[in-house]
Amino acid sequence: MTETMHRRTLLSAAAALPVLAAPRLAAAQPRYKPEYKITVVGNRPIALSESAFVWADLVNQRSEGRLNFKVYPGSSLVGGDQTRELVAIRQGVIDGAVFSTINISPQVREMNLFSLPFLMPGHAAFDALVASEVGAALFRTLAQRDIEPLAWGENGFREISNSKRAIRAPADLRGLKIRFAAGAIFSEIYTALGANPVQMSFADLQPALSTGAVDGQENPVNLFLGFRMDTLAQKHLTMWNYCADAGIVSISKPVLASLEPRDREIVVEAAREAGQAGNTAARKGLGVMPGGDRSSLEECARRGVEVIDLSPADKRAFAQATRPVYDKWAATVGTDLVRKAEAAIARVS
């Protein structure tokens, strides 16, 4: 047999052999953290905390154990100082948050939009604002800080309570020591109304009310009820809707990027549902939900709290008294952004 014929025979024999499948490499699995830390101010029944717990529960269930979101309420990961949450996420200490726009406004000046006094008359105005180009612009601003905002929520309109007297006109605030959470704008608002503003964390608020270190505070009604502020001498509650506390369900950009596409989708969709859960909690029993349920306000009355509903004319008097503060901070927020917000609100007012 010639060399050429021998080579052909070997090739033919090789061709007749069964083809063996190449071994399949196991798909690389992402290396997820044992726990993803989610921070939020306060605890249930605060609406922002409701959003945080709903978000974590939905993510944990739908990811079937791949993700473990754990909520740390009371801003406990930052020693109770809610104004440090944003920085902690950027530093990688925290993975996600349900932010209060009030608490991040010292670092993100545009978020002071929600604190402009008497900008939004009610919940329809709030919804219109966050659904507009203004809401999208604020998300883009936050995204420039390595944080991915996923959904808007609401902590509720901030109403004012105190231990001294009913507040029906600006003059009624004169001399009252009123606690505010953060942001120079609040100090200026209460100074313009003749009050003595006192900044302190939420953790310090309850003992301050019980000892009389401060006379009053401003928070949503359902927080007022949940933390039994009626037992802390807060016997006068004025519904004035002077500003709203918006919530933003957010996650670290590097954390979101590290997730598989299916898990990113779960996190984002759960965040949207969590934002809506917060809205529902914030508006419960205030007469603004379908059916006009006013059970939260009725509960205040049952606890011996005088609830003062201001008329539109009454609110205009407060708005006029704080207009210089509004104009000053509109320039800080960005005049163009404020005008767009006013236009979005005007369409539903």
Side-chain angles (χ1 to χ4, degrees), residues 24 38 45 77 79 87 89 124 128-129 142 154 159 165-166 168 171 186 195 222 242 251 270 276 286 292 304 324 339:
R24 296 182 63 184
I38 309 300
L77 295 172
V87 173
I89 290 187
L129 192 157
L142 190 56
E154 183 192 331
E159 318 299 0
R165 53 183 174 266
R168 293 187 172 88
F186 293 102
N222 289 313
Y242 89 112
I251 193 167
Q276 286 301 315
L286 300 180
R339 297 297 169 254

Side-chain angles (χ1 to χ4, degrees), residues 281-295:
R283 302 175 187 187
K284 180 182 178 183
L286 300 180
V288 298
M289 301 285 283
D293 171 27
R294 290 176 58 88
S295 58

Side-chain angles (χ1 to χ4, degrees), residues 40 48-49 66 74 94 115 148 162 172 209 234 238 265 305 308 332:
V40 67
L48 294 185
S49 295
R66 292 187 302 277
I94 298 173
S115 303
E148 194 66 52
N162 81 100
D172 296 325
L209 290 174
Q234 299 298 287
T238 296
E265 185 176 343
V305 176
I308 301 100
T332 299

